[in-house]
Amino acid sequence: MPKRILIINGPNLNLLGLREPDKYGLQTLESVNDDIAAEAAKLELEVGFFQSNSEGALVTAVQDAFYSDDTYDGIILNAGAYTHYSIALRDAISAIKIPVIEVHISNVHAREEFRHTSVIAPVCSGTIIGFGTKGYKLALHSFL
Ligand code: DQA
């Protein structure tokens, strides 16, 4: 059975392609997800997609990936700005027993000081930062 990986994108990532293209590129989220799906097919992984601007909805998606009838073997998570302060999201990641890979499109360490801290990094299995939207596809390889 192929491993099932859930791709979760947080706040404002629905605006990819429109939002600050100098930082996040010109690709829409739909097009990024198409690329991820194509890479996943090559790697014989199954993928699901979820995006929300709401912290609670993201917490529930993380929980459900492990504690529901529709479970996954891992999560690739770009939590957007929640990365920097959501203890609720961190606790949800701690509560599940599948690996979570943190992804950031931009190099957060080359940006404002407040983006240098990730409250979720210590409870994630690994982090991919600054490789553009390609980062999601790179993260898929960690599940092979
Ligand atoms: C981001 C970086 C965050 O600091 C920012 O709030 C985002 C996107 C990234 O992918 O580079 O929304 O997670």
Side-chain angles (χ1 to χ4, degrees):
M1 248 190 10
K3 279 192 186 170
R4 302 189 74 223
I5 311 301
L6 180 62
I7 319 298
I8 301 180
N9 276 289
N12 300 304
L13 290 156
N14 56 313
L15 295 182
L16 278 183
L18 297 172
R19 168 196 188 207
E20 300 181 85
D22 53 314
K23 296 184 183 76
Y24 303 116
L26 286 166
Q27 234 188 327
T28 63
L29 182 59
E30 196 184 352
S31 156
V32 171
N33 286 347
D34 285 348
D35 285 357
I36 296 169
E39 183 77 356
K42 276 191 227 158
L43 301 175
E44 295 181 8
L45 296 168
E46 215 174 284
V47 279
F49 297 98
F50 182 78
Q51 189 276 330
S52 179
N53 294 324
S54 307
E55 186 177 14
L58 295 167
V59 166
T60 301
V62 169
Q63 291 180 358
D64 286 352
F66 186 74
Y67 297 104
S68 77
D69 294 335
D70 186 28
T71 57
Y72 287 84
D73 301 296
I75 294 176
I76 295 171
L77 171 66
N78 185 347
Y82 291 135
T83 303
H84 312 301
Y85 66 92
S86 176
I87 306 301
L89 206 47
R90 177 189 165 123
D91 285 350
I93 296 166
S94 293
I96 61 173
K97 297 184 183 73
I98 53 173
V100 177
I101 310 298
E102 176 185 2
V103 168
H104 297 289
I105 297 167
S106 65
N107 180 0
V108 284
H109 298 293
R111 299 180 61 193
E112 302 94 325
E113 187 95 26
F114 66 84
R115 294 187 206 275
H116 300 181
T117 301
S118 167
V119 298
I120 65 169
V123 294
C124 286
S125 304
T127 305
I128 295 177
I129 290 176
F131 293 99
T133 50
K134 208 191 297 170
Y136 298 97
K137 292 195 281 181
L138 295 173
L140 281 178
H141 288 254
S142 72
F143 292 102
L144 299 181

